[in-house]
Amino acid sequence: MYGTVSTTRVDQARRVAQLVLADLPERWQHSAGVAERAEELAGTLGEDPDVLVAAAWLHDIGYADSIRETGFHPLDGARYLDDHGWPPRISALVAHHSGACFVAEARNLQEALRAFDREESPLADALTYADQTVGPGGRRMLVQQRISDMLRRHGPRSPNAAAHRLRGPYLLAVAHRVESRVAAACV
Ligand SMILES: [Fe+2]
């Protein structure tokens, strides 16, 4: 199913997401869409495809009531994965996906997030890009549409809105990098 992707870790990740997001069908559909997008990118970007696709399945598990602790889903998901023996790289990718560090500042959780290493790599970019091109319910979106939709859903007083001045340009820069890599790989 996943081509060159190792299915064992990816299947484990999918099963965890399916279990903990059972009561959140839109979030589950979004996660499945992000995993599918990540799988497409993994084929182009090459390195460690199973890490990318597993992290994509797991990136939003922190929304689940059974995992929620601080209410900041990247941190809660990463802590759960850390506590359950997942590789530190996957926990850290989940902790820092989609510019979480900017929102952590707005929530005063930056110290807690620093417990996880922030990876800066084509793979980390691909995870963020996959998340930022798939909306709620799993529909594909442009990054700019996704950002606008996210700000509308979270509202003007939200930590996401407070973080937007720095996070918005960061997400657009990630999108530019990924699209350039994909274009270069297709030549
Ligand atoms: Fe997401």
Side-chain angles (χ1 to χ4, degrees):
M1 180 182 176
Y2 292 102
T4 58
V5 177
S6 160
T7 56
T8 308
R9 184 148 51 187
V10 170
D11 281 346
Q12 284 175 342
R14 181 182 50 76
R15 281 199 294 272
V16 168
Q18 190 168 26
L19 191 68
V20 304
L21 297 175
D23 294 333
L24 300 172
E26 255 206 345
R27 189 64 57 187
W28 160 251
Q29 288 160 1
H30 163 77
S31 298
V34 173
E36 184 181 77
R37 194 82 179 91
E39 195 180 334
E40 293 167 9
L41 293 166
T44 306
L45 300 173
E47 222 173 290
D48 299 328
D50 58 323
V51 172
L52 172 58
V53 180
W57 276 114
L58 295 165
H59 80 284
D60 273 352
I61 61 169
Y63 279 112
D65 282 345
S66 58
I67 289 176
R68 185 183 171 93
E69 184 189 336
T70 67
F72 184 42
H73 80 276
L75 178 61
D76 293 346
R79 283 177 169 175
Y80 174 90
L81 294 170
D82 218 29
D83 289 346
H84 288 77
W86 283 80
R89 190 182 180 195
I90 291 183
S91 307
L93 284 164
V94 168
H96 288 283
H97 78 271
S98 292
C101 60
F102 301 107
V103 185
E105 291 271 348
R107 287 176 168 265
N108 206 22
L109 286 169
Q110 62 272 36
E111 283 302 320
L113 199 65
R114 281 195 199 109
F116 299 92
D117 291 336
R118 184 179 171 196
E119 177 174 330
E120 295 185 54
S121 68
L123 189 151
D125 280 352
L127 176 61
T128 288
Y129 184 74
D131 187 29
Q132 295 303 315
T133 51
V134 176
R139 65 184 182 279
R140 296 277 173 112
M141 304 176 90
L142 299 174
V143 174
Q144 192 64 62
Q145 288 176 318
R146 172 88 163 114
I147 293 172
S148 300
D149 180 63
M150 174 273 296
L151 290 172
R152 183 186 52 74
R153 283 186 289 107
H154 287 262
R157 297 184 196 280
S158 65
N160 287 49
H164 178 63
R165 186 176 62 82
L166 295 175
R167 186 183 181 223
Y170 167 79
L171 294 174
L172 293 174
V174 168
H176 180 71
R177 288 198 295 270
V178 172
E179 288 168 4
S180 297
R181 287 179 191 124
V182 169
C186 292
V187 177

